[in-house]
Amino acid sequence: MKPLSVLLYLALFSSIAATAQIQGSVSGKFKIPSGGIPLAQIFDSKIEDADVYTKNASKVYFIWGAKKADADEQILDSKYFPSIRNPDRKLDIAWYQKNHPDWIMYQQDQKTPAYGYIYNYGGLVPLNVSDKMVQEYYLNSFIKPALKLGYSAVAMDNVDFSNWPKAVGHFKDGQWQNSYTGKKNDTIFHRTMLNWLKFLSSNLQPQGIKVVANIKANTAPEKTIVEAIRSVDIWLDETGFAHRGINVTDKEWDKTVSILQKITPDKGYVSINQMNGEVETAPAGQVEWVIANFLLTRGPQSLLAMVSYTDKAIYHTFNYRKEFDTNIGEPAGAAEKGENGIWSRKYTKGIVYVNPSSKETVTISLPTKGVKGIDGKILKGSLTLAPATAKLLTF
């Protein structure tokens, strides 16, 4: 065997071994129980003791934006990436203008970078992720180094199909190139985002790495959103059933549930719910609303997260309510909508009822055998559900 052949053989063997090591590290993770209320943690930079994840009745099984890889062998940890923006602050706009000027996306004026967000340190450089060279660069320069640290998943943030940064075009060899209209409903931009997610999945999933995407459900037609969710492993829904302290109802609720019914049977799902005030002091009715909706729509890989919302969403901290201890068993059927507009779903040890209307009050008949509310009180006969309320009952 020639020396070059030996080197190639060793390189191939090392590559296979590395892939096997990554797959082995992921295989024991994301095993979610079919009963109870499995939880997700949204960022963890302010958590000093990881024991909080497992000491209560409901456990944490996933961390979005984990500060450290492999903190717990039972928890799927993900490395945060800002989707279509450069994740390395050191590589600022001046660096890209000097080294890769063709990769920067600008707004309509051809001067303003399509940052989307501006932070106290400036903006993260917006990249033309429709360019194959940019895709490869992002993968090789940012994502792969993170995987070598032991991360089991990538958390792709701000996957917004409405083109929230108002990107329009870029320069190529000094000449302006139009890419998008800059408007919210742009099918070319939709396709770019879909292709970007599919590129990531096709490169990472064979290595056992999960792709988690924060996809805004109301930024494109349902067909496009479902296709996007199906192209990744886990959908992180930042709107959930309570957003900015207000319960999600009516048409917005209908749209969310329609998507969930299509994807939760076989896809991962993280429901982030921004509660009214601190989680620990949020109204009990809103807590029950969120839990009941989660149980109404949950699948085998669904996880719940509650976060505080004051003037903004507060992530990075661990939040727990005693209501999370409630366990109504495993799903005993699919969610059903009654003629009165009330949705329900049976479990082996209980049932949930949801009134998604923001206006209608509905009274329903309870099961003949005795049931208890989440507060432990016995309920009989009938139950009145005010607008935007839900009930979690145990047999």
Side-chain angles (χ1 to χ4, degrees):
M1 186 177 291
K2 296 180 181 179
L4 180 60
S5 298
V6 172
L7 290 174
L8 288 172
Y9 173 80
L10 290 175
L12 177 61
F13 179 80
S14 298
S15 175
I16 294 173
T19 299
Q21 185 177 11
I22 291 174
Q23 290 174 332
S25 69
V26 179
S27 61
K29 299 187 175 185
F30 216 59
K31 292 183 177 179
I32 299 169
S34 55
I37 305 171
L39 304 176
Q41 173 64 36
I42 311 304
F43 296 111
D44 62 350
S45 64
K46 296 182 180 179
I47 296 173
E48 297 180 358
D49 185 2
D51 286 346
V52 296
Y53 297 145
T54 56
K55 73 177 184 179
N56 297 295
S58 289
K59 318 296 183 187
V60 170
Y61 295 91
F62 169 71
I63 300 175
W64 167 270
K67 62 183 177 182
K68 183 180 179 182
D70 286 330
D72 188 304
E73 63 180 12
Q74 300 301 318
I75 297 176
L76 181 69
D77 41 54
S78 63
K79 177 65 176 177
Y80 178 88
F81 292 99
S83 190
I84 58 176
R85 297 170 290 158
N86 159 61
D88 187 347
R89 292 190 207 175
K90 296 187 294 294
L91 306 182
D92 59 11
I93 191 71
W95 186 90
Y96 275 95
Q97 287 172 337
K98 178 181 178 181
N99 295 279
H100 297 291
D102 294 355
W103 293 1
I104 305 169
M105 291 301 295
Y106 293 92
Q107 294 183 354
Q108 185 68 56
D109 62 6
Q110 304 180 18
K111 296 178 181 180
T112 306
Y115 287 123
Y117 295 119
I118 300 293
Y119 307 94
N120 55 4
Y121 55 81
L124 297 175
V125 179
L127 301 176
N128 178 20
V129 293
S130 68
D131 188 316
K132 293 295 182 183
M133 293 181 65
V134 174
Q135 293 178 352
E136 294 289 347
Y137 178 76
Y138 202 113
L139 177 68
N140 294 320
S141 298
F142 305 129
I143 294 179
K144 286 186 177 180
L147 300 183
K148 290 181 180 179
L149 298 175
Y151 284 97
S152 309
V154 294
M156 308 305 297
D157 198 14
N158 303 132
V159 183
D160 190 329
F161 282 75
S162 68
N163 190 3
W164 54 283
K166 299 180 181 179
V168 172
H170 62 97
F171 290 94
K172 184 174 180 60
D173 299 325
Q175 299 297 313
W176 177 253
Q177 304 286 318
N178 270 318
S179 299
Y180 315 116
T181 63
K183 297 180 181 179
K184 289 185 176 181
N185 191 19
D186 187 329
T187 56
I188 298 176
F189 185 81
H190 294 171
R191 185 52 52 184
T192 291
M193 297 303 293
L194 283 167
N195 289 340
W196 173 224
L197 292 176
K198 290 177 180 180
F199 168 83
L200 292 171
S201 293
S202 65
N203 281 274
L204 297 174
Q205 288 172 344
Q207 300 180 57
I209 303 300
K210 293 186 181 297
V211 179
V212 190
N214 178 6
I215 300 171
K216 303 293 185 182
N218 60 353
T219 58
E222 182 178 296
K223 181 179 179 181
T224 300
I225 297 300
V226 170
E227 183 180 357
I229 295 171
R230 291 220 158 273
S231 71
V232 298
D233 298 284
I234 304 171
W235 174 33
L236 181 122
D237 174 19
E238 198 170 6
T239 300
F241 294 100
H243 188 60
R244 298 181 178 177
I246 302 172
N247 292 355
V248 174
T249 59
D250 302 326
K251 290 183 179 180
E252 189 175 0
W253 187 95
D254 290 339
K255 184 169 186 176
T256 298
V257 170
S258 177
I259 294 173
L260 288 174
Q261 289 180 315
K262 294 177 175 65
I263 64 101
T264 55
D266 62 347
K267 279 288 178 182
Y269 172 62
V270 177
S271 175
I272 298 181
N273 297 270
Q274 301 174 354
M275 310 302 287
N276 183 8
E278 301 289 337
V279 169
E280 288 75 13
T281 58
Q286 186 178 53
V287 172
E288 187 168 12
W289 163 264
V290 167
I291 294 176
N293 274 283
F294 171 75
L295 293 174
L296 182 77
T297 56
R298 77 160 291 189
Q301 302 177 66
S302 296
L303 300 170
L304 176 67
M306 281 189 193
V307 301
S308 303
Y309 185 87
T310 52
D311 58 332
K312 63 180 180 180
I314 303 172
Y315 298 137
H316 301 273
T317 61
F318 178 76
N319 304 295
Y320 198 86
R321 293 278 301 221
K322 63 179 179 61
E323 291 93 334
F324 290 168
D325 295 342
T326 305
N327 189 338
I328 61 172
E330 301 177 350
E336 298 179 349
K337 181 181 181 181
E339 294 181 359
N340 54 9
I342 299 299
W343 285 73
S344 64
R345 188 181 189 186
K346 294 179 181 178
Y347 275 71
T348 54
K349 298 179 182 179
I351 189 169
V352 294
Y353 293 103
V354 174
N355 179 7
S357 171
S358 65
K359 298 178 181 179
E360 301 296 328
T361 296
V362 181
T363 298
I364 60 173
S365 298
L366 291 172
T368 53
K369 55 183 177 181
V371 292
K372 290 191 298 184
I374 198 171
D375 56 3
K377 294 181 179 179
I378 302 296
L379 300 176
K380 295 181 180 179
S382 62
L383 175 68
T384 299
L385 289 167
T389 62
K391 281 294 179 181
L392 173 60
L393 306 176
T394 58
F395 297 144

